[in-house]
Amino acid sequence: MPVAVVDSTLQLAVAERVEPADGVAVLTLRHPEGADLPVWAPGAHIDLLLADGLTRQYSLCGHPAEAATWRIAVLREPAGRGGSAFVHDTLTPGTPVRVRGPRNRFALEPAPRYRFVAGGIGITPILPMLAAAEAAGADWTLLYGGRTRTSMAFVDELACYGSRVTIAPHDETGLLDLTAHLGDAPSDTLVYCCGPGPLLDAAAAAWPHETLRTERFQPAAADGDGEDGAEPRSAFELVLARSGRTLSVPADASILETVRSAGVEVLYSCAEGTCGTCETDVLEGVPDHRDTVLTPAERAVGDTMMICVSRCAGERLVLDL
């Protein structure tokens, strides 16, 4: 897999913009001098650094072999926080845009067979995965749902795969039949699912195996008895190994907030535990994982954490900062 370029910022420009579905803008980005862009693999996303401090993550949905361009698709979210509206209202052909990345926490792992599930704009990271699975000669199928057929992007592109793809608009077929899509697959099948939270929860119920891979656009609902639904927070000692500093993380602040208040610059973006930008190596201590990025196996190892939401399960944590 290509090494993720997590800290490079590029000045690109919108080369092309199309709207293939209701409320969806597909942008092709290019270097203004025509230079090749950093390599990426299916599942990767980039950060758009927009005006007024807005940073938003969008999955790359073109083909990794197209070195001169990146393609993203952005759904206008009327109830969003302004990022999608800025993209839709401002980014037209010729408009410059700052980009950071790519980064990949949803990588396509080698497997003899796959089952893909996409809901709405969740088709974006899945699209290049299909091409990779097809090129590898894998056995795969896709179940793709959305509100209406006209709201579902890339339906025309998917037609080339024939019966391997099932298009299931909610107003025509109702809820996605995950049991039918996943039920007859061998347990070693890798299942990739991206879309709204309820779809991911349903996929986890229909496929209770460690071979499920998901990517969330929003944080999952937490369980527990804390005020925010998570386990109650407590203060702990934080040691920054590289800088030799020791900080106290109070109960009402995150690690990210604490280190930034101390003048330590770290990469971050969503601050919700969904994008993976702030992932940091753990040198000592036990993390209290509260993100939706790491797999159960990665959490069990405990050598990395998302410092925007995760905390310490004990009294002391040493990070590679």
Side-chain angles (χ1 to χ4, degrees):
M1 301 288 290
V3 176
V5 184
V6 300
D7 57 356
S8 63
T9 300
L10 299 173
Q11 184 72 49
L12 305 182
V14 179
E16 182 182 67
R17 169 174 167 156
V18 296
E19 299 184 6
D22 296 341
V24 177
V26 176
L27 307 179
T28 299
L29 308 179
R30 186 186 301 273
H31 192 282
E33 297 179 359
D36 284 351
L37 303 180
V39 295
W40 61 281
H45 69 261
I46 57 174
D47 299 337
L48 294 193
L49 309 181
L50 307 173
D52 301 323
L54 289 175
T55 300
R56 295 293 183 268
Q57 299 80 40
Y58 298 106
S59 297
L60 291 170
C61 58
H63 196 290
E66 297 172 356
T69 60
W70 283 341
R71 186 174 71 163
I72 61 173
V74 181
L75 172 67
R76 181 186 285 272
E77 297 278 6
R81 295 176 294 170
S84 67
F86 183 93
V87 170
H88 275 257
D89 297 340
T90 307
L91 298 188
T92 56
T95 305
V97 58
R98 285 196 306 140
V99 177
R100 184 171 60 208
R103 184 178 303 105
N104 200 338
R105 289 295 322 186
F106 193 46
L108 183 68
E109 303 168 30
R113 62 189 65 86
Y114 301 94
R115 294 294 181 268
F116 297 103
V117 180
I121 202 64
I123 188 62
T124 51
I126 300 296
L127 202 60
M129 292 184 180
L130 303 183
E134 183 77 1
D139 171 17
W140 66 268
T141 58
L142 165 67
L143 178 61
Y144 177 23
R147 292 180 293 104
T148 64
R149 191 174 294 269
T150 59
S151 72
M152 299 169 66
F154 307 116
V155 170
D156 291 344
E157 288 189 25
L158 293 169
C160 69
Y161 296 120
S163 61
R164 291 194 179 205
V165 174
T166 300
I167 304 297
H170 183 270
D171 64 341
E172 298 177 21
T173 64
L175 294 176
L176 295 182
D177 190 347
L178 296 177
T179 300
H181 185 61
L182 304 176
D184 62 347
S187 60
D188 63 347
T189 301
L190 283 184
V191 176
Y192 280 80
C193 181
C194 185
L199 173 62
L200 304 190
D201 295 338
W207 189 259
H209 303 285
E210 293 185 356
T211 53
L212 174 65
R213 305 288 184 264
T214 61
E215 183 171 58
R216 291 181 180 269
F217 299 138
Q218 297 175 335
D223 296 322
D225 55 5
E227 291 183 0
D228 58 357
E231 293 297 325
R233 296 182 174 193
S234 58
F236 58 91
E237 182 182 82
L238 177 67
V239 179
L240 309 183
R242 275 191 277 163
S243 58
R245 301 179 64 180
T246 299
L247 307 174
S248 177
V249 180
D252 61 351
S254 68
I255 296 176
L256 176 63
E257 292 167 337
T258 301
V259 298
R260 294 191 72 238
S261 295
V264 179
E265 291 298 322
V266 293
L267 283 177
Y268 72 99
S269 182
C270 74
E272 295 179 331
T274 60
C275 74
T277 305
C278 67
E279 184 172 8
T280 303
D281 288 340
V282 178
L283 303 181
E284 294 180 33
V286 179
D288 173 14
H289 296 290
R290 304 189 180 203
D291 65 278
T292 57
V293 177
L294 298 176
T295 66
E298 290 170 331
R299 289 185 174 206
V301 173
D303 60 356
T304 186
M305 68 186 298
M306 308 303 152
I307 63 173
C308 64
V309 293
S310 298
R311 302 183 64 78
C312 179
E315 298 181 352
R316 184 174 182 269
L317 196 63
V318 181
L319 299 181
D320 186 23
L321 290 173

